[in-house]
């Protein structure tokens, strides 16, 4: 349930390539926008997020449900249709999963397809908890989603995604890492074989010890293609929240913008503003 919506002015401060300073137990986005002194190895996005109440449940084994089973989140599902250049056939479907009762609800976006370098803040209720959702295009080809449970810092939840990549079986799917000053940045690269469609998803738990504990596809973060070109990305159950970045990369290496993402995250004594 949506409670309030607000537009945020984003800082343009340029900091060192190693990431923000400070200390603390949390990994927090600084809300940076623009190139920040880096080369933007990204492509222009056709901003085409939309929603539907027609359901498409993530199948058994491709969501955080335990024991395994199909998962039907409540609410309208939001997704990107294509991004231009045929990157997707509807992907996103962002949801919050409660392991205590094995239910999920879709994140809602009141403002979609906003301008680059603009974030929107929304207060929503999921699983009887209050969440702060910050989202928007930080720069060309870089979308940020920041999810924080603000009413209960002991509540454990997972964040999930699902949808069709449209690559018709010819799919490369890789889990990669980048060494940042604050720890390991883990991200997924997905593209159609032989086609310049390099899609990157970065997922960072807000609690540093949670991020440090992740072993991809074993504990904490899971990515899988089903059956040929439907991409599922979901986390384990953690407290506090997650910061995610979705990138339309221009190539299969620096197109990940891992250096930009690492630079936006800083150690902090708080996990949300």
């Amino acid at each position: 349930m949506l409670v309030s919506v607000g537009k945020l002015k984003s800082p343009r401060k340029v900091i060192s390539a190693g990431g923000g300073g400070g200390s603390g137990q949390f990994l927090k986005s600084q809300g940076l926008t623009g190139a920040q002194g880096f080369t933007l190895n990204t492509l222009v996005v056709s901003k085409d997020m939309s929603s539907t109440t027609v359901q498409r449940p993530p199948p058994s084994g491709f969501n955080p449900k335990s024991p395994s089973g199909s998962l039907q989140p409540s609410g309208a599902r939001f997704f990107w249709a294509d991004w231009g250049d045929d990157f997707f056939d509807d992907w996103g479907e962002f949801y919050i999963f409660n392991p205590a009762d094995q239910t999920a609800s879709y994140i809602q976006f009141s403002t979609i397809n906003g301008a680059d370098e603009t974030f929107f803040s929304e207060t929503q209720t999921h699983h009887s908890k209050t969440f702060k959702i910050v989202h928007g295009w930080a720069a060309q080809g870089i979308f940020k989603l920041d999810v924080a449970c603000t009413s209960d810092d002991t509540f454990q939840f997972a964040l999930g995604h699902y949808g069709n990549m449209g690559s018709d079986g010819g799919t490369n799917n890789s889990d990669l890492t980048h060494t940042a000053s604050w720890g390991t940045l883990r991200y997924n690269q997905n593209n159609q074989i032989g086609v310049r469609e390099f899609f990157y998803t970065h997922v960072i738990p807000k609690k540093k010890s949670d991020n440090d504990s992740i072993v991809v596809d074993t504990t904490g973060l899971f990515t899988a293609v089903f059956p040929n070109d439907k991409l599922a990305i979901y986390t384990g159950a953690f407290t506090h929240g997650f910061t995610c970045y979705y990138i339309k990369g221009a190539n299969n290496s620096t197109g990940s913008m891992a250096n930009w993402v690492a630079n936006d995250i800083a150690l902090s004594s708080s996990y949300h503003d």
Side-chain angles (χ1 to χ4, degrees):
M1 180 181 69
L2 181 65
V3 179
S4 65
V5 182
K7 182 177 179 180
L8 302 178
K9 292 184 177 179
S10 303
R12 301 253 339 189
K13 178 183 177 184
V14 178
I15 60 177
S16 67
S23 61
Q25 62 175 319
F26 299 110
L27 299 174
K28 182 179 175 183
S29 168
Q30 301 181 91
L32 301 177
T33 62
Q36 294 297 317
F38 298 98
T39 300
L40 288 176
N41 295 302
T42 59
L43 300 177
V44 174
V45 173
S46 174
K47 297 173 181 175
D48 54 11
M49 180 178 277
S50 61
S51 66
T52 182
T53 56
V54 176
Q55 300 300 335
R56 178 169 61 177
S60 178
F62 294 85
N63 65 68
K65 200 169 183 180
S66 180
S68 295
S70 178
L71 177 66
Q72 182 55 76
S74 62
R77 58 183 174 93
F78 283 73
F79 56 88
W80 289 299
D82 184 272
W83 266 12
D85 304 305
D86 195 28
F87 262 58
F88 309 124
D89 286 342
D90 301 349
W91 190 89
E93 304 179 13
F94 320 84
Y95 61 86
I96 294 171
F97 173 79
N98 181 4
D101 63 8
Q102 298 290 295
T103 64
S105 56
Y106 286 118
I107 294 173
Q108 304 296 292
F109 298 86
S110 289
T111 303
I112 58 176
N113 304 321
D116 288 352
E117 304 185 22
T118 304
F119 296 126
F120 299 91
S121 177
E122 311 195 17
T123 302
Q124 301 179 16
T125 300
H126 297 272
H127 309 291
S128 301
K129 308 293 184 182
T130 302
F131 283 78
K132 182 177 182 181
I133 311 293
V134 177
H135 59 91
W137 292 96
Q140 174 187 288
I142 303 175
F143 187 90
K144 184 182 79 172
L145 174 63
D146 191 304
V147 179
C149 182
T150 58
S151 63
D152 184 353
D153 62 10
T154 67
F155 177 62
Q156 292 190 326
F157 65 96
L159 182 68
H161 317 74
Y162 187 66
N164 194 332
M165 303 304 292
S167 50
D168 300 321
T171 304
N172 285 320
N173 193 66
S174 302
D175 297 314
L176 304 170
T177 62
H178 173 83
T179 300
S181 62
W182 42 261
T184 300
L185 169 64
R186 297 170 181 83
Y187 62 100
N188 176 262
Q189 175 188 305
N190 187 283
N191 67 281
Q192 182 172 338
I193 295 172
V195 180
R196 191 184 71 166
E197 296 174 4
F198 301 106
F199 173 56
Y200 298 91
T201 303
H202 302 253
V203 181
I204 305 151
K206 285 187 172 289
K207 194 172 181 180
K208 185 180 185 304
S209 60
D210 290 339
N211 186 73
D212 293 343
S213 73
I214 289 175
V215 179
V216 177
D217 292 332
T218 299
T219 181
L221 180 62
F222 303 85
T223 75
V225 174
F226 167 88
N228 295 312
D229 60 358
K230 293 180 176 64
L231 176 64
I233 298 177
Y234 58 95
T235 72
F238 293 130
T239 59
H240 298 87
F242 305 88
T243 309
C244 301
Y245 302 81
Y246 312 91
I247 295 170
K248 186 178 183 179
N251 58 56
N252 67 352
S253 55
T254 57
S256 71
M257 296 305 299
N259 52 1
W260 191 101
V261 171
N263 190 57
D264 184 48
I265 296 293
L267 288 168
S268 175
S269 59
S270 63
Y271 66 98
H272 69 90
D273 293 324

